[in-house]
Amino acid sequence: MKFFRWQGLIAFVIIVALILGLWFLFIDTAIKNTIETVGTKINGAMVNVGKADLTLSPLGLIVTKLEVTDRDEPMKNAIEVDRIAFLMDFGHLLHHKIIVDEMTVHRIKTGTPRKKSGEIKKRAIKEKTEGKVVSKSLTLPKIDIPDVKEILKSEELQTLMAVHAIKGNIQDGKEKWKEKEKQLPDSNKLEDYKKRVDNAKRALKGNIKDALKGAKEVKAIRKDLRNDLERIESVKKEIKEDFRTLQASIKEAETLPAEDLKRLKKKYSLSSEGLANFSQLLFGNKVSNWTKTSFAWYEKVNPYLEKLRDSKIKEEEKKPERGKGLNIAFKEFNPMPDLFVRTAALTLHIPAGEIKGEIRDITSDQHLTGKATTFGLKGEKLDGMRAVKLNGEINRVSELKEKDSINLKISGYDINSVALSDSPDFPVTLQKASADIYVNTVIKNERFNSDLKAEFKAVKLMSDIGKDSGDIKKALASTLSDVKSFNLRADLVGGKDDFQIKLSSDLDDILKKSVGNMVKRESARFEKELKLALSEKVKDPLKGLEADMEDFDKIEEKLNAYSDKLDAMMQEIKESEKKKLKLPFKKSLKSLIKR
Amino acid sequence: MLSIIAKLLRVLNSETNPAQISLAFCLAMLAGLTPFSSLHNLMPLFLVLILRVNLSSFLVGLAFFSGVAYLLDPVFHQIGLGVLKAEALQNLWTQCYNNPFIRLTRFNNTILMGSLVFSLLFFIPLFMATNLFIRKYRDHILGLVQKSRIMKALKASKFYSIYNRVDQIRGKG
């Protein structure tokens, strides 16, 4: 038997050639599909590639029309890139490593519309609303001081509320007294006592049998009197306690006008401190919105940055996928990252024009290259902007040095008709300005530390106030319209959910200098008028309380009169008992001695 | 598939050397148990084509072992992990890992390594067992099978007509 089948060699060559041929035919589609599948998995929304073209000599890849869906708005692309082209190192590719010396990324656009939704699955609305910072928006306080009478008409005063409550308590106290009074001895009972005492006295004067009966009655009367006296004492004590409590409430109510005055002053008067905070009120919302936008972008980029860290997790620590197993990594003699792009040249298209720049040292394993990813972008003579410069670095070289920093410099940024305050009371619009803005941000452990400095020149501020506005409002509007330049500084510290912004501007000083004295004067006048009107309004109700309390004095007097009468009766019966009870026994003793 | 099984039955029942069937079956095990798209599978393919082994047996065996491979997946992972983590072999694996062509074979994958070791270990025992089985089958079972009621029923089926047609074509050839 022949052992070899030589025609099999030809079949083998044909099969291998066929495999290679098919590979070459379908590799572009396979790469396209791989980018889309892996990209979609990472992005959480569709990633689409128009075309992927692998060239073998030189070994490179051209990806055209890459669209990355915005997860939060699936009908928009977060990023769209017209063309990405790069050459790869073949030797490293055999090691499953993509090492690129130079990459060109042409025409990056953001927020472009999509023809089809890029949503991969319906995400719960809850997820969208969760984690949203619910921040209180800043609004300008009322500039003009309203009429004092109007304020007191519309405001609920704490003093009057307290007076009303105390009045109710006094009424309750009186009701309680009426109930108790029913249980106390009335004039009939006193008359009854009197009769009983007289009868007892008479009985004591009689024979021994009557005297003994009288003594028994005296004992009963004393017991009844004691009980009634005790009841009266208890009621007196209760009434006194109620009286004390009501007195304390009245005393407290008397301090409330001062509290009301303080609260109303704070609410209605424009203090000079308020002016010192004017920039916060004007720019606070804008800066807060910019911050939220920055956080939203950081949220979009952060999962990819997190993956840089995750890639360090050893394969062995992962749970193997069924049918796929784990790829065990061994020590490399010349360790290289799985992905390393030395330089990526970018052209970014924003509505204002084109920005060019480069990103250096893009890698999934910075600890291997020892270099942080740096980026620098620059655009000049843009539409509505003289120049823009953005640079920074993403540092994941070591866990201790983990830090991201971004510096943005915008020169000659034209601002047109930006509403700074949409408060109907005092609307402010920045009609025109040219701004130089510098932002320096450092992000460490997802905590931001950002510093914004902005210089506004050729400023035209406008406040469209009504003709019947007050003096302060007019003065403020006039000062704002005279402002030709001002600066703004914002310091931001914190994370996505708990950031704090501190704003300052020389605009505050300008306003303070200009209308500060007027505000002080007007505020003093307002305070004086308010104090007077307030005390006038609460005077009578407070006096009424005192009058109501006089009834309690009458109750006490009545109780005292009761107890005095009962005491007198008790005294009377004690004395007659002493006198009359002793006599028959004295006589009997004397007669016994004589015998 | 039916025609392939028919061919296999014909081969089993023919005078073909049992070693040709057994070797094809063993090479099918090598290719079937390990991940099919792996580079090393070019070797069993090359051997199947260049050596005078039975192709039908190879194809049937390939289908059979591919199914078995999925069931044994966790076992292969454990074997592969053990082999790749073996202290004594670390130098060898490190050298291989740094060789771009060996790295292309994905030898560092636990399932690939586990299934490869498993199939290499069972290659010769399976070869000998299959050989023995074919001989015993032809000596003792073939006659009984031909006379059995099941075989008679089978002969009346579509499957048997295919088998017969293949046999006739083969005979003419």
Side-chain angles (χ1 to χ4, degrees):
Chain A
M1 185 191 82
K2 282 179 188 171
F3 202 70
F4 291 103
R5 183 162 49 191
W6 292 111
Q7 63 269 38
L9 192 64
I10 299 161
F12 180 75
V13 171
I14 290 168
I15 288 170
V16 171
L18 214 63
I19 291 169
L20 288 174
L22 286 173
W23 179 84
F24 191 69
L25 213 64
F26 292 108
I27 188 67
D28 290 345
T29 314
I31 291 171
K32 177 182 174 292
N33 291 341
T34 307
I35 295 171
E36 287 182 340
T37 313
V38 175
T40 301
K41 201 174 164 189
I42 294 169
N43 186 44
M46 291 287 280
V47 170
N48 304 97
V49 173
K51 197 181 158 195
D53 188 13
L54 182 80
T55 56
L56 292 181
S57 182
L59 184 65
L61 184 69
I62 299 167
V63 177
T64 43
K65 199 82 179 163
L66 173 76
E67 293 179 322
V68 181
T69 308
D70 188 333
R71 269 181 300 176
D72 299 324
E73 288 178 79
M75 284 308 290
K76 270 187 180 178
N77 288 317
I79 292 169
E80 185 186 325
V81 186
D82 277 2
R83 188 173 182 270
I84 302 171
F86 55 90
L87 295 179
M88 290 175 281
D89 185 299
F90 180 68
H92 284 113
L93 198 62
L94 290 177
H95 278 103
H96 294 207
K97 289 173 192 294
I98 301 169
I99 309 297
V100 177
D101 273 332
E102 203 172 326
M103 178 189 268
T104 55
V105 185
H106 190 59
R107 284 179 76 90
I108 304 170
K109 286 168 271 183
T110 57
T112 53
R114 286 179 65 88
K115 284 176 189 161
K116 273 185 189 173
S117 168
E119 196 172 21
I120 46 171
K121 60 181 172 188
K122 290 262 179 218
R123 283 192 293 156
I125 300 165
K126 198 180 159 197
E127 192 189 324
K128 257 193 160 182
T129 51
E130 254 179 13
K132 262 194 176 176
V133 186
V134 185
S135 64
K136 204 179 154 191
S137 71
L138 299 163
T139 48
L140 281 174
K142 288 207 177 295
I143 306 292
D144 280 336
I145 299 167
D147 184 42
V148 167
K149 280 178 190 163
E150 287 296 314
I151 293 175
L152 292 181
K153 214 174 177 182
S154 62
E155 285 289 336
E156 246 184 297
L157 296 176
Q158 278 183 44
T159 314
L160 294 184
M161 280 159 74
V163 166
H164 185 72
I166 296 166
K167 261 183 182 295
N169 290 342
I170 292 172
Q171 197 54 39
D172 288 349
K174 284 178 185 173
E175 296 288 327
K176 201 164 112 186
W177 158 244
K178 273 181 191 165
E179 282 300 308
K180 296 270 175 188
E181 198 182 21
K182 284 176 194 166
Q183 298 161 15
L184 296 177
D186 52 7
S187 51
N188 289 338
K189 197 167 187 187
L190 286 173
E191 199 56 41
D192 186 45
Y193 268 128
K194 208 167 183 312
K195 275 179 191 166
R196 282 174 69 192
V197 170
D198 289 344
N199 289 338
K201 273 163 127 181
R202 260 195 303 276
L204 285 172
K205 284 176 189 167
N207 55 30
I208 290 176
K209 197 184 168 189
D210 287 340
L212 282 172
K213 206 178 168 187
K216 205 176 172 185
E217 177 63 9
V218 165
K219 203 178 170 188
I221 293 168
R222 280 182 69 176
K223 195 186 171 189
D224 290 346
L225 279 173
R226 211 177 296 124
N227 284 343
D228 279 339
L229 275 168
E230 272 173 13
R231 206 172 295 139
I232 289 169
E233 255 334 286
S234 149
V235 173
K236 258 166 95 178
K237 211 174 166 186
E238 229 173 288
I239 294 289
K240 260 188 188 169
E241 189 60 42
D242 287 354
F243 185 76
R244 252 200 303 274
T245 312
L246 287 168
Q247 281 285 23
S249 306
I250 291 168
K251 228 170 206 175
E252 206 184 316
E254 281 165 356
T255 63
L256 289 176
E259 291 290 317
D260 278 326
L261 182 68
K262 201 174 157 187
R263 183 174 61 84
L264 295 175
K265 258 162 63 180
K266 199 178 170 187
K267 190 171 174 182
Y268 291 100
S269 70
L270 178 69
S271 64
S272 45
E273 286 86 50
L275 283 178
N277 217 13
F278 210 77
S279 57
Q280 180 91 25
L281 299 169
L282 280 183
F283 298 100
N285 284 338
K286 286 266 170 285
V287 175
S288 177
N289 288 340
W290 294 339
T291 308
K292 281 175 200 165
T293 310
S294 310
F295 275 120
W297 272 99
Y298 185 73
E299 286 284 295
K300 282 176 190 170
V301 177
N302 199 37
Y304 307 109
L305 300 178
E306 286 300 312
K307 278 191 176 65
L308 299 185
R309 196 182 292 122
D310 292 347
S311 70
K312 289 173 200 167
I313 298 169
K314 286 181 181 176
E315 283 280 330
E316 298 96 280
E317 289 168 15
K318 293 181 193 165
K319 209 181 165 205
E321 216 176 308
R322 182 85 200 229
K324 290 194 174 165
L326 292 178
N327 293 321
I328 307 295
F330 295 93
K331 191 189 166 193
E332 288 181 86
F333 297 148
N334 180 23
M336 286 297 279
D338 292 342
L339 171 75
F340 184 43
V341 180
R342 287 196 173 90
T343 312
L346 317 174
T347 54
L348 186 69
H349 269 256
I350 58 169
E354 197 174 76
I355 298 171
K356 286 183 178 178
E358 60 176 32
I359 307 179
R360 301 184 76 88
D361 304 314
I362 303 168
T363 177
S364 53
D365 306 281
Q366 286 188 1
H367 65 288
L368 287 178
T369 58
K371 287 176 182 173
T373 302
T374 56
F375 56 90
L377 292 157
K378 206 174 162 185
E380 280 175 349
K381 291 175 188 165
L382 301 167
D383 190 17
M385 213 184 295
R386 196 168 61 244
V388 61
K389 204 176 165 186
L390 177 78
N391 58 50
E393 73 165 31
I394 298 158
N395 194 331
R396 299 282 186 280
V397 175
S398 73
E399 272 182 44
L400 290 173
K401 286 181 185 172
E402 264 185 30
K403 188 178 88 175
D404 303 328
S405 63
I406 304 158
N407 301 312
L408 171 73
K409 192 178 174 185
I410 301 171
S411 313
Y413 179 57
D414 292 334
I415 299 167
N416 291 303
S417 296
V418 175
L420 297 178
S421 157
D422 43 18
S423 152
D425 185 55
F426 195 71
V428 182
T429 311
L430 184 57
Q431 288 284 40
K432 228 176 169 188
S434 172
D436 291 334
I437 304 164
Y438 179 76
V439 188
N440 176 23
T441 303
V442 175
I443 309 156
K444 221 172 172 183
N445 300 325
E446 294 186 23
R447 306 290 292 173
F448 276 57
N449 198 328
S450 197
D451 176 28
L452 177 144
K453 283 175 198 159
E455 292 280 342
F456 295 84
K457 290 168 200 161
V459 172
K460 199 178 169 193
L461 276 163
M462 219 182 83
S463 180
D464 190 16
I465 52 164
K467 281 176 189 170
D468 51 349
S469 302
D471 291 343
I472 297 176
K473 206 189 271 182
K474 280 179 187 164
L476 265 177
S478 156
T479 309
L480 284 174
S481 65
D482 289 342
V483 171
K484 295 285 171 253
S485 69
F486 68 91
N487 64 36
L488 179 73
R489 195 181 164 140
D491 294 309
L492 178 136
V493 183
K496 183 173 79 79
D497 299 322
D498 60 347
F499 64 86
Q500 282 187 336
I501 303 167
K502 202 175 147 196
L503 278 167
S504 59
S505 169
D506 60 356
L507 200 61
D508 298 331
D509 298 331
I510 295 167
L511 292 173
K512 205 174 171 184
K513 213 179 274 175
S514 167
V515 288
N517 283 336
M518 185 187 271
V519 169
K520 263 185 198 167
R521 208 169 45 240
E522 282 293 304
S523 295
R525 184 185 58 81
F526 167 71
E527 280 171 36
K528 201 176 162 188
E529 278 180 15
L530 185 68
K531 195 175 176 182
L532 210 69
L534 185 71
S535 64
E536 197 60 40
K537 192 170 181 177
V538 299
K539 194 172 76 184
D540 286 344
L542 282 173
K543 268 191 177 169
L545 287 180
E546 280 166 20
D548 286 349
M549 288 298 280
E550 280 169 10
D551 289 349
F552 274 84
D553 292 338
K554 285 174 191 164
I555 294 167
E556 208 178 351
E557 274 170 24
K558 212 171 182 180
L559 283 168
N560 284 339
Y562 275 135
S563 61
D564 285 351
K565 276 177 187 167
L566 291 176
D567 272 337
M569 249 175 238
M570 182 70 105
Q571 202 57 39
E572 191 183 340
I573 206 154
K574 271 183 188 171
E575 274 171 16
S576 63
E577 192 183 24
K578 223 188 257 175
K579 278 181 200 167
K580 308 294 174 189
L581 264 175
K582 275 178 189 171
L583 285 173
F585 290 106
K586 270 184 185 173
K587 277 180 189 169
S588 349
L589 273 170
K590 274 177 187 172
S591 61
L592 279 171
I593 292 161
K594 275 177 188 175
R595 278 177 212 164
Chain B
M1 195 64 198
L2 280 174
S3 61
I4 293 170
I5 296 168
K7 268 186 186 180
L8 178 69
L9 280 173
R10 193 200 155 273
V11 171
L12 275 176
N13 299 345
S14 71
E15 297 293 308
T16 312
N17 189 336
Q20 282 178 286
I21 303 167
S22 309
L23 189 59
F25 207 60
C26 292
L27 287 169
M29 177 182 69
L30 200 61
L33 289 185
T34 58
F36 190 69
S37 60
S38 306
L39 197 63
H40 75 271
N41 273 341
L42 282 175
M43 186 53 77
L45 181 70
F46 177 73
L47 291 174
V48 164
L49 292 170
I50 200 117
L51 298 176
R52 242 174 227 289
V53 294
N54 187 267
L55 285 174
S56 302
S57 311
F58 176 77
L59 291 173
V60 170
L62 193 64
F64 171 73
F65 284 113
S66 296
V68 173
Y70 187 76
L71 297 174
L72 292 177
D73 181 273
V75 181
F76 293 157
H77 168 70
Q78 286 305 326
I79 296 171
L81 196 65
V83 172
L84 288 166
K85 286 279 173 185
E87 204 56 50
L89 298 170
Q90 287 308 297
N91 268 343
L92 174 70
W93 301 140
T94 307
Q95 291 290 339
C96 293
Y97 196 72
N98 284 279
N99 183 308
F101 292 101
I102 299 178
R103 182 109 174 243
L104 267 184
T105 63
R106 291 178 58 233
F107 78 96
N108 60 326
N109 181 276
T110 51
I111 286 188
L112 192 139
M113 179 56 83
S115 57
L116 188 66
V117 168
F118 181 90
S119 33
L120 286 175
L121 276 175
F122 281 89
F123 195 91
I124 293 170
L126 183 71
F127 178 75
M128 290 166 83
T130 320
N131 252 346
L132 190 69
F133 170 76
I134 296 164
R135 283 206 180 93
K136 293 278 180 202
Y137 170 81
R138 283 177 183 171
D139 292 349
H140 306 289
I141 306 168
L142 185 60
L144 292 171
V145 170
Q146 299 281 26
K147 285 173 197 168
S148 69
R149 280 184 183 182
I150 298 168
M151 198 60 189
K152 278 174 188 168
L154 206 65
K155 275 179 183 176
S157 69
K158 188 190 169 193
F159 174 74
Y160 191 76
S161 67
I162 295 167
Y163 166 76
N164 222 11
R165 202 166 57 239
V166 170
D167 199 38
Q168 278 167 9
I169 294 163
R170 182 83 182 170
K172 279 174 193 169

